[in-house]
Structures are given as C-alpha cells and as structure tokens.
Amino acid sequence: MAASPEAKFTEEKILWVKHHTPKLITFAISRPESYRFKAGQFSRLGFYEGEGFIWRAYSIVSAEYADTLEYFAVLIQDGPMSARFAQMQQGDTILLDKNATGFLLPERFPDGKDLVMLCTGSGIAPFLSILEQPEIRQRFDTVNLIHSVSFPEELIFNDRLAALSEHPLVGEYGHSFRFIPVTTRAANSDGLGGKRIPELLKNGSIEKALHTKFTSESTRFMICGNPEMVKDTFQTLLGMGYAMHRNRIPGQIMMENGF
C-alpha cells in the first residue's frame, strides 16, 4: 500500500521469507511500479518504531527488470533491524525509501576484459543482481565471482548461480562466468579454503583458480563485504599495482562496505 505522495517512502508487503541458517535469511517484498534502481545499488528498508522509524540499507538481489525486490540479510545478535527480520513473516508491512542509491556500478568502469567481483557474506547481494543483467555480461569477456564465507553451509546461493546457465536472458553467456567459493574456516573441495581473499590475491590462488592473469589493462575489481575485508582487499590490490576508480581518474578498483 503506497504512502501519501509527499512521503519519502512507501509501505510494502513481505511476499516471502526464507531462513537458510539461524543467521542467514532472504526475503522478497512488493515492488512499486515507480521504483527504479541499477544493478549494484541498495534500498533503505525500515519499520515504524514508536513515533519514529528504524532504517537500514540493504543491497538489492533482484535484477533491474524483476517484478519484486529481493534482499539478503545476516542476522546480528542484539541488532535492532535483525530482531525485526527474525520475526518477519509473509504479509507483514515493511517501509521502502522511494530512492535507491549507491555507486557500485560496473558501467562506471573504463573498458576492460575481465570483471572480478570479490565479496564476503551478504556482500554477494549486489553481484547477484549484476549477474542477471545481459548488458553487463555482454561488455566483459569474463565475469568472475569470488564469495568468501566461514563455513560451506553459508554458501546458500550455489544453486542459484548454477541455474544462471539456463537463465532466459543471460544463459547464453554461461561460458564466460566463473564462480570460486571460499571457506575460511573449513576445507572446500569445490573452491578455495583456509585463507581470506586478501591472502588468496597475494599468493596468486585466485588467478590460478580462474585460469587467468590479472593486469591493469584488462582486469576490473569490485569489492563488497564487511569493512575489514574491503579495507584489506583494497590495500592488497593497491600493493599489486591497481588503483581506485574515480570519475575523473579511471582505475581498476571499485568498492563498497556490505554492512
């Protein structure tokens, strides 16, 4: 149900909620016809709280053309928003800020051949949206996703990523997509394990797993995740000779904290 025209938000319905682990949930809400966003951006979601509100930003998992808005959240102990999410059920009301925002947008990059998306935890959310955009898949020769979690059971999107090969709009680009799961606290027979993304960049493990060689001319990096990971990965890439991308000074790195 829409709010009054002068309001900065609308009231939306929770369409479904899925608890993947005690800490990881995905959910979808109704999407107003007027709501627009670019793959890689985030929404501000909120709830009424007393006479005020509680708001937090969450990256949009859905493709730009989807009829609903999907999100991925990590529940944090004693977190006020997490407490709301933990009790949330289909049919409940949630508030949606009318304007999406964020600059983690691959179209901002200068031309390159290989897009490498590095993420931890819920930082995968904007990349799931990006992966369903045909124009992005057309622009790069390869699109590579490295998702790092603590334990294998936290890799909740493996089936969704595998299904992209049958996607009606991006399935034809399946040959150019490569996914490397990383588990830092457990062995991983399907990917890399035991080390964080910055270490795996330094020792060349990610390049080896992707069967490629990173170069400043051809490789573009996007980073999203917890602040410590983003900072450490950024510093590692700087040490490897890459530079932050800015509007007036093109570079190879774009980043955003996932929470």
Side-chain angles (χ1 to χ4, degrees):
M1 179 171 61
S4 59
E6 65 272 13
K8 295 181 179 180
F9 61 86
T10 58
E11 296 180 353
E12 303 303 327
K13 290 297 182 184
I14 303 295
L15 302 177
W16 55 260
V17 182
K18 183 173 183 179
H19 292 258
H20 300 269
T21 74
K23 293 184 177 181
L24 305 181
I25 71 167
T26 52
F27 60 95
I29 71 174
S30 54
R31 178 178 182 174
E33 290 186 10
S34 60
Y35 193 80
R36 298 290 180 268
F37 71 94
K38 290 183 175 294
Q41 290 190 309
F42 55 84
S43 304
R44 288 180 72 241
L45 301 177
F47 296 95
Y48 293 110
E49 187 170 74
E51 296 182 0
F53 308 90
I54 178 174
W55 293 96
R56 295 289 186 276
Y58 293 89
S59 292
I60 304 166
V61 172
S62 312
E64 293 177 15
Y65 45 81
D67 294 331
T68 64
L69 297 172
E70 184 179 347
Y71 302 91
F72 172 35
V74 177
L75 303 184
I76 301 170
Q77 187 174 2
D78 299 324
M81 201 70 169
S82 293
R84 296 293 193 116
F85 284 162
Q87 300 176 9
M88 190 168 62
Q89 297 182 12
Q90 179 181 346
D92 288 351
T93 296
I94 193 168
L95 308 180
L96 172 69
D97 190 301
K98 289 182 177 180
N99 297 312
T101 188
F103 299 96
L104 194 70
L105 307 172
E107 59 262 35
R108 295 177 55 225
F109 272 134
D111 287 341
K113 291 173 56 181
D114 305 307
L115 179 63
V116 180
M117 301 179 289
L118 306 163
C119 59
T120 54
S122 60
I124 193 176
F127 299 143
L128 294 171
S129 179
I130 287 169
L131 283 168
E132 293 195 36
Q133 293 303 127
E135 60 271 23
I136 295 169
R137 304 294 289 274
Q138 292 165 359
R139 185 177 173 202
F140 293 93
D141 292 347
T142 70
V143 175
N144 310 276
L145 174 65
I146 293 83
H147 185 209
S148 177
V149 298
S150 296
F151 300 101
E153 58 267 27
E154 297 169 344
L155 293 164
I156 65 172
F157 294 106
N158 287 12
D159 291 344
R160 183 186 187 125
L161 293 169
L164 288 174
S165 62
E166 304 297 325
H167 191 285
L169 297 181
V170 300
E172 63 182 290
Y173 307 106
H175 64 281
S176 66
F177 173 57
R178 292 173 290 191
F179 170 51
I180 306 296
V182 176
T183 51
T184 58
R185 298 185 184 180
N188 184 355
S189 59
D190 297 321
L192 300 172
K195 295 184 183 298
R196 298 171 64 235
I197 285 176
E199 297 171 273
L200 296 172
L201 286 169
K202 286 180 182 177
N203 66 22
S205 294
I206 291 177
E207 285 176 290
K208 183 177 180 180
L210 294 176
H211 305 289
T212 191
K213 179 66 177 177
F214 297 153
T215 69
S216 58
E217 292 77 23
S218 64
T219 312
R220 305 290 176 258
F221 299 95
M222 302 181 76
I223 314 168
C224 188
N226 67 73
E228 183 179 3
M229 170 270 187
V230 171
K231 176 178 69 69
D232 291 349
T233 302
F234 176 56
Q235 291 298 326
T236 297
L237 289 174
L238 288 180
M240 294 170 65
Y242 303 102
M244 182 72 174
H245 174 70
R246 305 182 188 282
N247 289 338
R248 296 185 180 181
I249 307 176
Q252 300 83 31
I253 308 168
M254 199 180 298
M255 60 187 185
E256 184 173 273
N257 290 333
F259 47 88

